[in-house]
């Protein structure tokens, strides 16, 4: 684990590869601590072993070919995949101290990812119809947030070196799996996970 501190963003935790359930337990603990004033705003950077999760917009039709039940969680959105090569970023923030503006918060998350992708040579964009971050007509990052007592958790999944074939058993976020892409697929080379984290401002 690597812990750093930033005057604006608070704590930044780099945890490496962590099982999904352990990362979720950590987030829930930090939500409680943040609400009680025992922790600062915290960003967690992890990779997960392969797992499929589903949020509040659960539509079983979107994972009928999966063969197993996805992990149900409290974030927004539908079904998605996490796995090796994908940078998952969780935001445990006190939004009451940030204007209680969910739209602004989501916009800031998308803009931060877009700027980081730009620094490695990928021009990305927001989409008026779908959340997440897009490169032309392909989706490179998904975003799903939960808020409890104005403390946010969950966050963004950025496909850096992700094996895109892993999305084929689901309709990620209700979309055709063919829409998903990765930075490695676009640039034709492996992306440094640590380097990309340093680019996220």
């Amino acid at each position: 684990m690597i812990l750093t501190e930033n005057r604006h963003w608070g704590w930044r935790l780099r945890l490496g590869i962590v099982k999904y359930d352990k990362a979720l337990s950590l987030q829930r603990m930090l939500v409680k601590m943040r609400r009680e004033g025992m922790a600062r705003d915290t960003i967690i950077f992890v990779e997960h072993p392969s797992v499929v999760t589903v949020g509040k917009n659960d539509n079983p039709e979107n994972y009928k070919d999966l063969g197993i039940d996805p992990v149900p969680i409290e974030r927004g959105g539908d079904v998605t995949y996490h796995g090796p090569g994908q940078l998952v970023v969780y935001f445990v923030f006190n939004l009451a101290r940030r204007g209680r503006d969910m739209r602004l918060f989501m916009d800031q998350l998308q803009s931060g990812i877009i700027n980081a992708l730009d620094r490695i040579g990928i021009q990305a964009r927001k989409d008026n119809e779908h959340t997440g971050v897009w490169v032309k007509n392909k989706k490179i990052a998904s975003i799903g947030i939960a808020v409890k007592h104005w403390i946010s958790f969950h966050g963004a999944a950025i496909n850096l070196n992700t094996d895109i074939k892993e999305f084929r058993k689901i309709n990620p976020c209700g979309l055709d799996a063919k829409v998903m892409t990765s930075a490695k697929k676009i640039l034709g080379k492996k992306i440094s996970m640590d380097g990309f984290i340093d680019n996220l401002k």
Side-chain angles (χ1 to χ4, degrees), residues 17-156:
I17 300 174
V18 178
K19 288 185 177 180
Y20 187 84
D21 59 344
K22 290 186 177 181
L24 184 57
S25 294
L26 174 61
Q27 288 181 79
R28 290 170 175 165
M29 180 184 72
L30 284 169
V31 167
K32 185 175 185 294
M33 290 175 65
R34 188 68 185 100
R35 186 184 178 201
E36 295 173 355
M38 297 173 62
R40 293 194 62 190
D41 285 351
T42 303
I43 304 176
I44 304 168
F45 302 97
V46 297
E47 286 181 77
H48 293 307
S50 294
V51 64
V52 174
T53 67
V54 64
K56 291 181 178 179
N57 297 340
D58 181 356
N59 181 354
E61 281 294 308
N62 289 325
Y63 53 86
K64 63 183 180 180
D65 297 324
L66 185 59
I68 59 172
D69 290 332
V71 178
I73 51 175
E74 58 273 83
R75 64 161 170 77
D78 199 341
V79 66
T80 197
Y81 164 82
H82 300 302
Q86 182 188 72
L87 176 62
V88 182
V89 190
Y90 296 124
F91 300 87
V92 182
F93 282 6
N94 185 343
L95 299 184
R97 291 173 174 256
R98 295 173 179 267
R100 303 191 184 206
D101 190 333
M102 276 298 298
R103 180 172 292 183
L104 175 62
F105 181 56
M106 293 288 284
D107 185 71
Q108 290 173 336
L109 299 189
Q110 292 174 101
S111 294
I113 296 168
I114 289 168
N115 291 337
L117 288 168
D118 183 64
R119 293 185 183 102
I120 64 170
I122 295 176
Q123 291 187 336
R125 64 177 179 86
K126 302 170 192 174
D127 186 83
N128 292 330
E129 187 176 353
H130 303 287
T131 59
V133 174
W134 296 72
V135 179
K136 297 182 179 177
N137 64 340
K138 298 287 187 178
K139 190 174 187 180
I140 195 169
S142 303
I143 297 176
I145 298 294
V147 177
K148 186 175 183 179
H149 304 294
W150 284 108
I151 309 296
S152 70
F153 57 123
H154 294 286

